[in-house]
Amino acid sequence: MNIVVLVKQVPDTATERKLDPADSTVDRAASDGVINELDEYAIEEALLLKEKHGGEVTILSAGPDQATDSIRKALSMGADKAVHLNDAALHGSDALQTAYALAQALGTVEYDLVILGSESTDARTGVVGAALAEYLGLPQLTLANKVDIDGTSVRIQRQTDEGYDVVEATLPAVVSVVEKINEPRYPSFKLIMAAKKKPVAKLGAADAGIDTARVGLANATTEVVDFAAAPPRAAGTVVKDEGNGGVQIADYLAAKKFL
Amino acid sequence: MDFTLTEEHEALRALAAEFVDREITPNVAGWDRVERVPRELVPRLGELGFMGLTIDEADGGSGGDHLAYSLVMEELGRGDSSVRGLVSVSLGLVAKSVAAHGTPAQRERWLPGLCSGALLGCFGLTEPDTGSDAASLALRADPDGGDYLLSGSKMFITNGTWADVVLLFARTGGPGPKGITAFLVPADAPGLERTEIRGKLGLRGQPTAQLFFDEVRVGADAVLGQEGGGFSIAMSALDKGRVSVAAGSVGAARGALESALAHAGQRTQFGRPIAGFQLVQDMLADMAVETDAARLLVWRAADLVDRGLPFATEASMAKLFATETAVRAANNAMQVFGGYGYIDEYPPGKYLRDARVTTLYEGTSQIQKLIIGRALTGVSAFS
């Protein structure tokens, strides 16, 4: 069972995140880069599947030089090797272009399963998994809160607002995971030291067979028309208890789909 | 000279910081109130590799150098000195001594467990009547057949009630340091009783005990190092231990500073954040400068250890300055917080209570000054 986990480096959500006014892309200098939180669940799930079924876990990340830090972190959680797709031509690629580039890069790796987080905390499009599956011509199983492998098939529980659907496909397949699926592990000092020696293949666009006319800001299929700083946090809702306070709170939470 | 951490040191520091922020900081006040950190933390720290730093992987350790160890101690000290102390004692004083002086059989018996956190160690040196004058300790180890019978008591023993093994210092010969021998005593040995010491000002989450030995029988294979060589084992353990306490104190000072900075930025008086007042900035600046200076002393001492050079005086300098810094920084943090610092919903009180013991244990500040003074003058104030 060889698994590829897609890892994206994103600006730390704990810091103030900014866009570059020049081209409306993420200002990477404005905050520290960290692994997209949902991708940590994807890594953990891959490691759990590897512990059960054997094989190798490969990290695939598309990003600039500093994405190396996130790749090392993923390797220090226990992944075996990594592929780093890094090319200036990819700068400003939108979700569809990124999916295309990742699909091309996956052509350099042998895999039975691709796992990724269901969305990233910066762009939040949530479409890369689906688009990737289309480019690869593979089944997509999204929003998994449970993944089981049985021989040549994969079965997931897809989380829905009401409960979950059971979805099954033959391998190879693309699976996206939600945060309810597991509890990501911490690295350990031994794994940090071991990560230093694990192979990281560096790929440029040409190495992956990426047509540079199809990627990058100039060729993007979507455009950021305008952006503005987030408004200051609005005042909260005050519930006055006039005998039905509990009901009001429950209604509020239900309206927000917390209940 | 380059103070930039290597990629691996930085990754280790970041791992320790993340663990502290997620697993320790949210629980600190609660653990302090119930006077207990969870015992399950020990194997968790072991999984991260924190219980086996600097110990060879062949002995079950995680490897790494003393700078790596100091970085982890700083982060744990920032989180909770009670947690940092568990590691300082079990790894820093006990496991390192076993690694340095143990026979292959002793290393095999104790080190894998101590380094994984499956086992915990405690360091039995201090007695009710001997603190700074450790060479006058009284606990007897009397030969009996090929065995020894241990009788006496030990005081203020960190990890005492939780420990699986006691690194015990006992008198096998005449008075003075040359009559002392080190033993590795299983904590379940018949005749060994342990009583928890309650009512501590700080380090409340850490189990501290008095140990009573009533003719506890151990074999000759329990002797660590040579008979009569115990005092030098204790002193060399404490020399390195001082780097660990100092590193933890840097973390505590930093934690106090960070909490004071956050509070000073939010707290408004006279129509503006108190961070803008010169007398508040005076305190914050003192805290920042002293914390950085203490860290540099720790890193120098760790570097000397790692390069196999003499480090005892530098370790005492680091311990003296870092622990006194932690006390001052916590006291300043409380001043910045005002009344809020005096209640345990906010960090300064615990930092202050925990820091206060660090100028007392593993050699008081006065003992550190006498060690430094002896190195400077060539004259020992002890004899």
Side-chain angles (χ1 to χ4, degrees), chain B residues 109-339:
Chain B
R109 177 169 183 192
W110 297 114
L111 287 180
L114 289 171
C115 294
S116 71
L119 301 177
L120 198 65
C122 69
F123 187 78
L125 179 65
T126 297
E127 298 185 354
D129 295 325
T130 57
S132 295
D133 186 12
S136 69
L137 65 83
L139 190 143
R140 298 279 323 159
D142 296 317
D144 185 76
D147 298 339
Y148 293 86
L149 291 177
L150 307 168
S151 293
S153 71
K154 293 288 174 184
M155 190 66 169
F156 303 133
I157 306 303
T158 300
N159 295 351
T161 45
W162 283 1
D164 302 284
V165 57
V166 186
L167 173 50
L168 183 77
F169 299 92
R171 190 160 299 284
T172 48
K178 293 201 165 60
I180 295 171
T181 301
F183 293 88
L184 290 166
V185 184
D188 59 1
L192 170 52
E193 298 283 332
R194 305 183 272 181
T195 310
E196 176 111 17
I197 296 170
R198 293 277 179 185
K200 286 176 294 181
L201 177 68
L203 296 186
R204 289 182 182 164
Q206 201 175 76
T208 307
Q210 187 167 9
L211 310 183
F212 303 93
F213 294 78
D214 182 12
E215 297 199 330
V216 173
R217 180 177 294 276
V218 290
D221 60 355
V223 173
L224 182 67
Q226 302 298 315
E227 186 169 306
F231 192 72
S232 72
I233 291 176
M235 291 305 110
S236 78
L238 289 174
D239 282 345
K240 282 188 190 166
R242 280 165 191 149
V243 184
S244 160
V245 173
S249 298
V250 171
R254 197 181 111 213
L257 169 62
E258 286 171 358
S259 69
L261 273 176
H263 183 77
Q266 288 163 6
R267 173 73 168 170
T268 301
Q269 291 289 282
F270 304 103
R272 58 186 169 126
I274 62 170
F277 290 109
Q278 292 178 13
L279 294 177
V280 172
Q281 289 193 2
D282 175 75
M283 289 188 279
L284 296 173
D286 280 348
M287 294 159 81
V289 172
E290 291 183 22
T291 302
D292 273 12
R295 182 183 299 108
L296 292 175
L297 287 172
V298 168
W299 285 13
R300 177 179 68 167
D303 179 59
L304 290 170
V305 177
D306 287 330
R307 288 194 289 138
L309 297 169
F311 64 90
T313 308
E314 288 79 3
S316 281
M317 288 179 172
K319 200 267 183 187
L320 170 66
F321 188 74
T323 58
E324 295 286 349
T325 290
V327 174
R328 278 193 298 271
N331 206 33
N332 274 331
M334 182 169 291
Q335 201 67 23
V336 171
F337 268 78

Side-chain angles (χ1 to χ4, degrees), chain A residues 222-245:
Chain A
T222 56
E223 185 188 353
V224 176
V225 180
D226 194 13
F227 65 88
R233 191 179 294 182
T237 304
V238 177
V239 173
K240 274 203 180 132
D241 185 13
E242 289 161 350
N244 66 343

Side-chain angles (χ1 to χ4, degrees), chain A residues 6 60 62 85 90 93-107 116 125 127-136 210 214-215:
Chain A
L6 303 186
L60 169 57
L85 177 60
L90 295 167
S93 294
D94 64 15
L96 281 181
Q97 293 171 307
T98 301
Y100 159 70
L102 290 169
Q104 292 298 114
L106 278 164
L116 71 163
T125 65
V127 302
V128 168
L132 177 71
E134 284 300 308
Y135 279 119
L136 294 171
I210 292 168
R214 293 179 62 182
V215 293

Side-chain angles (χ1 to χ4, degrees), chain A residues 31-247:
Chain A
S31 47
D32 288 340
V34 297
I35 293 184
N36 174 45
E37 195 184 332
L38 275 163
D39 297 348
E40 292 194 17
Y41 297 84
I43 297 165
E44 176 65 29
E45 197 58 25
L47 295 173
L48 292 171
L49 289 170
K50 176 193 158 171
E51 283 162 11
K52 209 185 262 183
H53 303 284
E56 277 193 328
V57 174
T58 304
I59 302 300
L60 169 57
S61 186
D65 292 349
Q66 60 261 43
T68 309
D69 294 343
S70 293
I71 291 170
R72 285 283 167 219
K73 169 99 189 277
L75 291 172
S76 70
M77 288 175 73
D80 298 287
K81 56 191 172 65
V83 176
H84 184 183
L85 177 60
N86 180 3
D87 198 308
L90 295 167
H91 174 74
S93 294
D94 64 15
L96 281 181
Q97 293 171 307
T98 301
Y100 159 70
L102 290 169
Q104 292 298 114
L106 278 164
T108 68
V109 191
E110 283 189 17
Y111 60 89
D112 305 294
L113 186 65
V114 177
I115 308 184
L116 71 163
S118 56
E119 62 180 25
S120 61
T121 54
D122 55 354
R124 303 212 92 122
T125 65
V127 302
V128 168
L132 177 71
E134 284 300 308
Y135 279 119
L136 294 171
L138 296 180
Q140 49 165 310
L141 298 82
T142 52
L143 305 174
N145 62 26
K146 189 173 190 302
V147 178
D148 286 309
I149 304 285
D150 182 11
T152 56
S153 68
V154 52
R155 174 195 291 249
I156 69 150
Q157 289 182 8
R158 171 188 287 148
Q159 186 173 294
T160 67
D161 285 346
E162 291 77 32
Y164 61 84
D165 304 325
V166 175
V167 187
E168 195 175 302
T170 52
L171 296 172
V174 176
V175 171
S176 77
V177 301
V178 296
E179 74 273 12
K180 286 206 175 102
I181 194 165
N182 57 41
E183 187 59 42
R185 69 193 63 190
Y186 289 96
S188 72
F189 184 56
K190 275 187 200 177
L191 286 170
I192 285 172
M193 296 308 285
K196 199 176 156 184
K197 301 186 188 97
K198 290 177 179 173
V200 179
K202 306 265 185 196
L203 287 190
D207 304 317
I210 292 168
D211 176 0
T212 51
R214 293 179 62 182
V215 293
L217 190 61
N219 308 307
T221 55
T222 56
E223 185 188 353
V224 176
V225 180
D226 194 13
F227 65 88
R233 191 179 294 182
T237 304
V238 177
V239 173
K240 274 203 180 132
D241 185 13
E242 289 161 350
N244 66 343
V247 175

